[in-house]
């Protein structure tokens, strides 16, 4: 029995006990007592299950659990029953009712023996990553997949059906970006890092499951045109002290340590996690800028590596005021210290392909990134229904970045550029607050009403300065220096109503949101204020045709507000011939999303097939301008996009030692748009696939390999090349599963590359980037009732 099944069983037993207790006031009670111990260690077993069941029907009558010293006491008024004593990983003990029953049955000391075969089966079940379907979402339960051992949340997401994470760390859902990331159903500082920093301190071992909401109902924030990914973190529910410790080493050079401890009693649950370590992230890039007009070519090959030290600490507690009221408080602190050395080697060739200039641009960047997160949550459960509840949460977070980048240009041939020094200074800070109230009220087993409100506040400050070394002193460049302020407040109100019986379900909803956004470039006094309100309806339905076939359908309207990375006009000028910057004048995207999905189970094969369509207006696309051999990328709102696609997921276990799963997605898109008199009307397609194979080998060794492929595709300006790569892992359990040894490899063949090309009438750009192979060896140990690999402390990112 898994932990989840055990918890559900205890809930049912508790409910049955309450019902029986009301009827027992007029009947004769029999008290049953005893103590449960481990047969080998003679230590008490806390939370063992004591079950009283009917001898004829075998149905449960009453149940309880043992306390911290292994003892138990419960009463019953039944006349024909047996007693079962069990605990996960142990063999059951069954006692028949004594013939001459008195008011007291003393079972004395009960010794339970470990069931090694059963324990192994439970562990295997817990390790499989499985997908389950709900009315308006899919849930990907994260197991201890071998290739993800020691990985980051980004790499776990890359194993989730419908989700892709490219080599630049950009997350897409069904081939489209604009995905909203939530942590435990709410925005979080852990998922709001800038650029590649997002989700950096969350590891695979911290994640319990991921909810994939491709067509969100009105209950969810309307943000995210392609859907929502909700990452649910683990919070150990076993009583007593439980935990695990992990150590990882890897290549490129990395070391990390992780510790997870949980202490739970009847009225209090304290949970904490600690991670620390250091890691090196290399990147190799080759690029060309070709000027078609004068037939000149500039090539650049570069190498940089981010060497990072990180710390992550989480402390929280659940206070059970009573069985219906829980308060949760938590605080998270993460700190990253980065130093990034790098070199860009440039060469210039004339129209006759003669080398005329050569120079090198060196970089050394230092950055400190502290993050704080705070959360207060109150949940009230009402007695009349298990799903009748009220939930209030208040979340605050802060992120700051203090960085300095020093660049130096050294000319070795020609005079295309001059020797010089440049300094980029960034003082950045962000504060975010989210206040949310949700109320769920079932009116029967079939009808449910949900309503609530959310208020989101975001304040950002970015002081950016570029300095040049002139005449023995640093001089600020006024054309590249400014202060950017960004303030956004979003108020949302929603209501949904649903009907669901054994065969058919329907959910209707509407959400009203008001957005107030202000941006300011302080030095140049450039302001922009936006205030707009929008209604976001949603419809979801499901129908169970048979035990093996079900259908789901849904519609929702979504919004994608441009984020700070897209609005911020500044960027580090690492490669000063290929520059990216934001656009503070961007408008939001709006999307109408439709989908139909079938869920089939044929023997040992599970199949899911779906079709979908999205229509998006004011599409945010990255454009490129080219001047003086310098390309500058900036996002703009350009036209509309129609996307129609088909998606397939399948899983097959031909034997108990082999499991295969596949995920494939194909979509066809039609773009319409115009910018500065140039038409961007075109059509294209994109498909991606994954194949995962898991094998159980002799001597308790398990092996897994996952292959990934994404086809080339055409963008408004830029074309992207294909991506193909494989991840693999091998695992061995020792000491009855308490110690686990993992060896995993990301991008086994170092084949994953970011390839892009842009061809225009006056210029051609090409870029090829790779990060190489990552190998991690980890050992983890679980203590108390904890399991190994709860948290590795590993810090990974693209």
């Amino acid at each position: 029995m898994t932990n989840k099944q055990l918890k559900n069983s205890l809930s049912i037993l508790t409910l049955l006990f309450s019902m029986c207790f009301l009827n027992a006031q007029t009947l004769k009670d029999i008290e049953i007592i005893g103590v449960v111990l481990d047969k080998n260690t003679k230590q008490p077993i806390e939370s063992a299950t004591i079950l009283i069941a009917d001898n004829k029907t075998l149905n449960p009558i009453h149940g309880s659990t043992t306390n911290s010293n292994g003892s138990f006491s419960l009463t019953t008024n039944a006349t024909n029953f047996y007693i079962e004593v069990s605990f996960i990983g142990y063999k059951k003990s069954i006692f028949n009712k004594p013939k001459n029953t008195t008011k007291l049955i003393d079972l004395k000391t009960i010794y339970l023996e470990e069931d090694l075969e059963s324990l192994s089966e439970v562990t295997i079940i817990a390790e499989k990553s499985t997908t389950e379907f709900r009315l308006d979402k899919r849930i990907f339960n994260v197991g201890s997949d071998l290739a993800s051992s020691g990985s980051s949340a980004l790499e776990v997401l890359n194993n989730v059906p419908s989700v892709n994470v490219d080599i630049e760390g950009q997350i897409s859902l069904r081939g489209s970006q604009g995905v909203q990331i939530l942590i435990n159903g709410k925005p979080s500082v852990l998922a709001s890092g800038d650029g590649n920093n997002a989700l950096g301190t969350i590891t695979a071992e911290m994640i319990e499951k991921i909810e994939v909401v491709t067509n969100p109902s009105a209950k969810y924030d309307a943000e995210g045109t392609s859907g929502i990914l909700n990452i649910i973190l683990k919070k150990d529910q076993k009583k007593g002290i439980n935990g695990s410790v992990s150590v990882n080493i890897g290549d490129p050079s990395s070391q990390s340590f992780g510790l997870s401890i949980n202490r739970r009693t009847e009225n209090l649950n304290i949970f904490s996690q600690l991670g620390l370590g250091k890691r090196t992230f290399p990147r190799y890039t080759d690029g060309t800028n070709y000027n078609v007009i004068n037939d000149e070519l500039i090539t650049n090959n570069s190498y940089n590596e981010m060497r990072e030290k990180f710390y992550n600490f989480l402390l929280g507690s659940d206070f059970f005021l009573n069985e219906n009221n829980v308060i949760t408080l938590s605080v998270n602190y993460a700190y990253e210290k980065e130093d990034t050395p790098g070199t860009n080697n440039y060469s210039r060739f004339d129209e006759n392909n003669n080398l005329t200039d050569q120079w090198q641009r060196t970089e050394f960047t230092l950055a400190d990134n502290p993050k704080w997160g705070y959360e207060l949550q109150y949940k009230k459960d009402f007695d009349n229904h298990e799903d009748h509840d009220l939930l209030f949460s208040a979340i605050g977070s802060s992120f700051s970045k203090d960085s300095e980048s020093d660049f130096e240009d050294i000319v070795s041939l020609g005079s295309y550029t001059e020797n010089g020094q440049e300094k980029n200074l960034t003082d950045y800070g962000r504060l975010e607050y989210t206040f949310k109230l949700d109320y769920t009220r079932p009116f029967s087993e079939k009808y449910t009403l949900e309503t609530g409100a959310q208020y989101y506040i975001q304040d950002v400050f970015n002081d950016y300065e570029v300095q040049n070394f002139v005449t023995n002193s640093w001089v600020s460049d006024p054309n590249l220096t400014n202060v950017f302020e960004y303030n956004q407040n979003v108020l949302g109100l929603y209501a949904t109503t649903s009907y669901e019986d054994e065969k058919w379900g329907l959910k209707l909803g509407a959400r009203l949101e008001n957005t107030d956004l202000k941006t300011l470039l302080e030095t140049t006094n450039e302001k922009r204020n936006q205030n707009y309100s929008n209604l976001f309806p949603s419809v979801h339905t499901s129908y169970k045709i048979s035990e093996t076939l079900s259908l789901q359908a849904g519609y929702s309207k979504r919004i994608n507000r441009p984020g700070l990375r897209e609005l911020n006009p500044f960027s580090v000028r690492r490669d000063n011939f290929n520059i990216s910057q934001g656009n503070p004048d961007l408008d939001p995207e709006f999307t109408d999303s439709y989908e139909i999905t079938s869920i089939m189970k044929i023997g040992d094969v599970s199949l899911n097939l779906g079709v979908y369509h999205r229509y998006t207006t004011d599409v945010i696309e990255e454009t490129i301008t080219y001047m003086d051999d310098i390309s500058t990328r900036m996002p703009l709102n350009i036209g509309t996009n129609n996307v129609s696609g088909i998606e397939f997921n399948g899983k097959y276990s031909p034997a108990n030692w082999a499991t295969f799963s596949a995920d494939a997605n194909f979509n066809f898109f039609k773009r319409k748009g115009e910018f500065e008199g140039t038409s961007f009307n075109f059509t294209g397609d994109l498909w991606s696939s994954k194949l995962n194979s898991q094998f159980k080998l002799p001597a308790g060794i398990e092996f897994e390999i996952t292959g990934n492929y994404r086809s080339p595709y055409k963008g408004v300006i830029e074309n992207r090349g294909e991506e193909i790569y494989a991840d693999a892992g091998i695992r061995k359990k020792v000491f009855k599963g308490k110690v686990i040894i993992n060896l995993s490899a990301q991008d086994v063949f170092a084949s994953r590359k970011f390839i892009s090309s842009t061809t225009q009438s006056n210029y051609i750009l090409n870029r090829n980037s790779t990060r190489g192979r990552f190998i991690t060896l980890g050992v983890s140990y679980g203590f108390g009732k904890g399991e190994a690999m709860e948290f590795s402390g590993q810090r990974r990112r693209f």
Side-chain angles (χ1 to χ4, degrees):
M1 179 180 288
T2 64
N3 291 343
K4 184 176 180 182
Q5 291 171 323
L6 179 61
K7 182 179 177 182
N8 292 339
S9 299
L10 292 176
S11 300
I12 295 172
L13 291 173
T14 302
L15 177 62
L16 292 171
F17 167 74
S18 301
M19 298 172 60
C20 294
F21 181 78
L22 294 175
N23 295 325
Q25 305 304 313
T26 59
L27 299 175
K28 178 181 178 181
D29 287 339
I30 300 172
E31 183 180 9
I32 304 168
I33 62 173
V35 177
V36 181
L37 303 180
D38 183 294
K39 184 176 181 180
N40 294 325
T41 65
K42 304 300 186 292
Q43 295 297 312
I45 299 178
E46 182 181 359
S47 301
T49 301
I50 315 301
L51 172 69
I52 299 175
D54 188 274
N55 260 322
K56 290 184 178 180
T57 66
L58 305 183
N59 291 329
I61 299 174
H62 184 27
S64 183
T65 59
T66 57
N67 58 27
S68 59
N69 61 11
S71 64
F72 64 89
S73 174
L74 71 167
T75 59
T76 181
N77 54 39
T79 58
N80 186 17
F81 63 88
Y82 67 91
I83 306 162
E84 178 182 289
V85 181
S86 64
F87 188 68
I88 186 169
Y90 288 80
K91 296 179 180 179
K92 297 178 182 178
S93 288
I94 296 177
F95 302 88
N96 291 318
K97 175 191 173 186
K99 294 182 178 180
N100 300 318
T101 304
T102 64
K103 289 187 177 182
L104 177 65
I105 299 176
D106 188 355
L107 298 179
K108 302 187 183 300
T109 301
I110 305 166
Y111 292 102
L112 294 187
E113 181 180 359
E114 281 193 8
D115 186 346
L116 299 181
E117 181 179 353
S118 172
L119 182 60
S120 175
E121 291 174 357
V122 170
T123 303
I124 291 170
I125 292 173
E127 286 165 2
K128 290 183 179 179
S129 294
T130 58
T131 304
E132 58 181 287
F133 288 79
R134 300 289 174 84
L135 186 60
D136 57 351
K137 61 188 172 186
R138 285 177 290 169
I139 300 175
F140 183 77
N141 295 294
V142 179
S144 301
D145 295 321
L146 305 185
S148 295
S149 298
S151 301
S152 72
L154 285 173
E155 289 158 322
V156 176
L157 286 173
N158 209 32
N159 288 326
V160 174
S162 308
V163 181
N164 180 264
V165 183
D166 69 17
I167 196 171
E168 299 292 331
Q170 298 296 320
I171 301 171
S172 59
L173 184 58
R174 287 177 171 170
S176 297
Q177 296 182 8
V179 184
Q180 186 188 21
I181 307 296
L182 303 178
I183 305 293
N184 293 331
K186 300 174 286 294
S188 170
V189 66
L190 295 176
S192 58
D194 294 311
N196 299 339
N197 238 3
L199 305 176
T201 56
I202 300 178
T203 65
E205 292 79 16
M206 296 171 65
I207 301 173
E208 178 181 344
K209 59 186 177 182
I210 296 172
E211 296 180 344
V212 182
V213 190
T214 54
N215 217 338
S217 70
K219 178 178 180 178
Y220 295 92
D221 189 348
E223 181 71 36
T225 52
S226 61
I228 293 173
L229 296 175
N230 183 24
I231 301 174
I232 307 297
L233 301 181
K234 292 178 180 177
K235 187 164 63 176
D236 205 327
Q237 295 298 312
K238 305 182 188 76
K239 291 184 180 180
I241 296 179
N242 319 287
S244 63
V245 60
S246 286
V247 177
N248 292 276
I249 58 173
D251 179 57
S253 177
S254 67
Q255 302 86 39
S256 64
F257 169 81
L259 175 66
S260 174
I261 300 178
N262 173 260
R263 175 73 168 92
R264 181 177 174 88
T265 64
E266 289 293 334
N267 300 317
L268 182 66
N269 180 41
I270 300 175
F271 50 93
S272 63
Q273 292 173 332
L274 170 68
L276 55 93
K278 58 182 181 179
R279 181 87 192 192
T280 301
F281 302 92
R283 182 176 293 277
Y284 308 85
T285 304
D286 293 312
T288 60
N289 289 23
Y290 177 60
N291 191 321
V292 175
I293 304 302
N294 58 24
D295 198 21
E296 292 180 344
L297 175 70
I298 295 178
T299 66
N300 172 29
N301 64 83
S302 67
Y303 172 78
N304 69 76
E305 60 181 30
M306 180 173 42
R307 299 184 297 229
E308 178 188 62
K309 297 178 181 178
F310 68 92
Y311 311 89
N312 182 28
F313 179 69
L314 171 68
L315 178 63
S317 183
D318 299 314
F319 300 92
F320 299 88
L321 305 179
N322 51 48
E323 62 180 9
N324 292 340
N325 295 273
V326 181
I327 295 177
T328 299
L329 293 170
S330 67
V331 60
N332 175 265
Y333 175 71
Y335 177 77
E336 301 152 7
K337 188 174 184 65
E338 304 169 357
D339 65 272
T340 307
T343 58
N344 283 269
N345 297 297
Y346 297 94
S347 298
R348 176 179 175 266
F349 299 85
D350 62 16
E351 64 276 10
N352 297 315
N353 201 32
N354 295 319
L355 177 63
T356 60
D357 302 274
Q358 204 165 38
W359 68 99
Q360 183 181 79
R361 181 176 175 85
T362 62
E363 172 198 357
F364 188 75
T365 296
L366 289 174
D368 295 298
N369 309 322
K371 298 180 182 181
W372 282 96
Y374 320 87
E375 180 175 356
L376 166 65
Q377 179 176 289
Y378 167 71
K379 183 178 182 182
K380 178 177 179 57
D381 293 317
F382 296 89
D383 290 328
N384 61 336
H385 196 283
E386 62 179 352
D387 293 326
H388 185 190
D389 55 57
L390 177 71
L391 179 66
F392 170 77
S393 62
I395 305 169
S397 66
S398 68
F399 172 73
S400 60
K401 188 180 189 73
D402 184 6
S403 70
E404 176 179 324
S405 299
D406 291 298
F407 300 95
E408 183 176 7
D409 294 319
I410 304 171
V411 178
S412 57
L413 176 65
S415 58
Y416 186 77
T417 187
E418 298 180 358
N419 293 328
Q421 293 176 270
E422 179 184 317
K423 189 186 296 288
N424 294 178
L425 302 172
T426 300
D427 182 10
Y428 169 83
R430 181 181 69 242
L431 295 174
E432 293 179 320
Y433 305 95
T434 303
F435 303 93
K436 192 174 183 182
L437 183 67
D438 297 292
Y439 177 68
T440 303
R441 176 68 164 92
F443 289 96
S444 68
E445 293 300 320
K446 297 182 179 181
Y447 294 94
T448 301
L449 172 69
E450 296 175 301
T451 186
Q454 176 178 295
Y455 189 52
Y456 173 68
I457 304 170
Q458 184 181 46
D459 290 328
V460 177
F461 173 87
N462 188 22
D463 187 348
Y464 181 76
E465 182 180 10
V466 175
Q467 297 178 351
N468 296 302
F469 195 69
V470 181
T471 319
N472 297 322
S473 64
W474 289 103
V475 179
S476 180
D477 186 338
N479 297 319
L480 300 174
T481 299
N482 216 320
V483 177
F484 181 65
E485 295 182 10
Y486 167 93
N487 306 102
Q488 178 174 263
N489 300 331
V490 180
L491 175 63
L493 305 171
Y494 78 88
T496 71
T497 182
S498 61
Y499 168 85
E500 192 167 9
D501 61 20
E502 293 182 359
K503 281 188 170 292
W504 181 67
L506 177 66
K507 189 172 188 177
L508 305 174
R511 186 180 187 94
L512 178 65
E513 289 191 351
N514 173 261
T515 304
D516 184 20
L517 173 63
K518 297 181 177 65
T519 62
L520 169 66
L521 284 167
E522 188 176 289
T523 306
T524 53
N525 197 31
E526 298 175 51
K527 299 180 180 179
R528 190 181 189 212
N529 298 334
Q530 299 181 69
N531 191 294
Y532 50 90
S533 298
N534 305 99
L535 182 66
F536 301 95
S538 66
V539 181
H540 294 83
T541 186
S542 65
Y543 184 71
K544 185 177 180 180
I545 298 176
S546 67
E547 293 298 324
T548 59
L549 177 61
S550 299
L551 294 177
Q552 293 177 327
Y555 162 79
S556 67
K557 188 176 183 66
R558 312 291 299 160
I559 185 174
N560 180 33
R561 302 178 183 88
L564 179 68
R565 188 181 184 188
E566 296 165 307
L567 295 171
N568 190 349
F570 311 121
S571 63
V572 174
R573 299 164 61 84
R574 176 168 292 135
D575 177 0
N576 56 0
F577 280 81
N578 296 279
I579 299 171
S580 297
Q581 65 182 52
N583 176 12
D585 295 326
L586 284 178
D587 293 320
E589 297 178 337
F590 291 92
T591 295
D592 291 286
S593 178
Y594 311 80
E595 69 174 38
I596 300 176
T597 303
S598 64
I599 307 161
M600 295 169 282
K601 186 169 178 61
I602 307 172
D604 295 328
V605 180
S606 299
L607 300 174
N608 308 295
L609 183 66
V611 294
Y612 59 90
H613 177 76
R614 292 191 300 266
Y615 175 69
T616 304
T617 59
D618 290 326
V619 180
I620 298 174
E621 292 278 7
E622 192 173 69
T623 62
I624 299 176
T625 58
Y626 193 79
M627 183 177 296
D628 298 328
D629 296 327
I630 298 174
S631 70
T632 302
R633 299 168 182 266
M634 185 174 70
L636 294 171
N637 294 106
I638 302 179
T640 63
N641 191 21
N642 275 283
V643 179
S644 298
I646 183 169
E647 183 179 40
F648 167 81
N649 310 115
K651 189 171 185 178
Y652 175 53
S653 298
N656 59 6
W657 54 268
T659 300
F660 303 95
S661 60
D663 176 33
N665 178 72
F666 173 83
N667 65 60
F668 173 83
F669 55 88
K670 185 176 183 180
R671 289 288 284 111
K672 288 186 177 181
E674 182 177 306
F675 175 67
E676 295 183 350
T678 301
S679 173
F680 290 101
N681 296 345
F682 69 95
T683 60
D685 59 66
L686 168 67
W687 70 277
S688 61
S689 61
K690 300 176 190 174
L691 177 63
N692 174 270
S693 303
Q694 298 178 355
F695 304 96
K696 297 189 179 102
L697 306 178
I701 297 175
E702 299 170 67
F703 174 73
E704 175 187 28
I705 187 166
T706 302
N708 298 266
Y709 178 77
R710 196 211 61 211
S711 70
Y713 68 92
K714 177 179 176 59
V716 168
I717 294 291
E718 185 177 65
N719 296 332
R720 293 284 295 271
E722 68 178 3
E723 286 188 16
I724 182 168
Y725 59 99
D727 302 327
I730 190 167
R731 171 169 59 212
K732 170 69 175 175
K733 297 181 181 179
V734 295
F735 299 113
K736 300 179 181 179
K738 280 295 184 179
V739 176
I740 301 177
I741 303 172
N742 291 278
L743 178 64
S744 65
Q746 306 291 330
D747 195 4
V748 176
F749 306 105
S751 58
R752 190 176 190 188
K753 297 180 179 180
F754 174 92
I755 301 173
S756 66
S757 63
T758 303
T759 301
Q760 296 294 313
S761 60
N762 60 329
Y763 68 91
I764 298 174
L765 304 175
N766 291 289
R767 185 175 177 229
N768 185 333
S769 179
T770 183
R771 64 185 178 96
R773 182 187 302 108
F774 285 80
I775 299 176
T776 304
L777 174 64
V779 179
S780 56
Y781 167 70
F783 55 88
K785 300 185 185 68
E787 299 173 356
M789 299 179 63
E790 285 289 325
F791 174 56
S792 72
Q794 181 75 353
R795 165 70 163 89
R796 293 268 291 160
R797 76 180 184 191
F798 288 95

